[in-house]
Amino acid sequence: MSTVSAVSMHHLVIAALQELPSDVIEDVGATIACRMIERLTLGQTRLPTHLDAVKFICRDLWTAMFGRQVTELKTDRFSGYLVLDQDLPWLNNLSGAAAECQEANKYAARVLRLTGAMITAGLAQLGFSAVVTWQRPAMRAAPGKVVFTLNVRSTDD
């Protein structure tokens, strides 16, 4: 998917997030991720390890969605993965004083819920179950910065 497509996706997601009820957001994220993973993995063999699947999400799915890879992927001390994005495009429109208002925080929570659902569903589509959580610093300081924590296991376990 080209960068132009990622930009178009960005605008569609922003519009949809403002209209969708909260309980539908995770379903939308899962649907988007499953369709994209299916398309991206067409003709490929199954990824054998957690790490391969997480790298695929951070490299291929992220590039398809945002036009670039995540900023950094690390393992944490609990055998999980930390996915750091310093500049999540869907949060970049929140800056300055506007980032502190209740509406902005509500929007950011919806974006993170959608993105977390996309990661969870994407990993499930690749054969791994995951619990995904996220953290973000104060919106004013870094509106696009987010850290996703992934605890992943094979669905065969």
Side-chain angles (χ1 to χ4, degrees), residues 22-90:
S22 295
D23 57 340
V24 177
I25 290 174
E26 288 182 12
D27 292 337
V28 170
T31 301
I32 290 169
C34 287
R35 288 181 180 177
M36 295 194 82
I37 293 290
E38 192 173 299
R39 198 170 133 217
L40 292 168
T41 58
L42 197 61
Q44 292 185 10
T45 60
R46 182 181 163 139
L47 299 171
T49 67
H50 303 150
L51 181 58
D52 292 327
V54 172
K55 283 181 179 179
F56 183 87
I57 295 294
C58 294
R59 185 183 53 237
D60 298 293
L61 181 62
W62 226 259
T63 299
M65 294 302 301
F66 304 119
R68 59 173 181 69
Q69 298 178 16
V70 299
T71 307
E72 190 174 1
L73 170 63
K74 297 186 203 180
T75 56
D76 68 9
R77 62 178 183 237
F78 303 111
S79 300
Y81 300 96
L82 300 176
V83 176
L84 172 66
D85 195 326
Q86 293 280 13
D87 196 27
L88 191 69
W90 296 344

Side-chain angles (χ1 to χ4, degrees), residues 130-145:
V131 175
V132 178
T133 57
W134 55 84
Q135 301 174 327
R136 61 185 174 88
M139 290 295 285
R140 185 182 293 255
K145 183 176 180 178

Side-chain angles (χ1 to χ4, degrees), residues 19-20 29 34 37 41 45 94 97 104-106 110 114 121 131 154:
E19 302 296 324
L20 288 174
C34 287
I37 293 290
T41 58
T45 60
L94 303 175
N105 286 325
K106 183 178 173 184
R110 288 170 165 251
L114 177 82
V131 175
S154 173

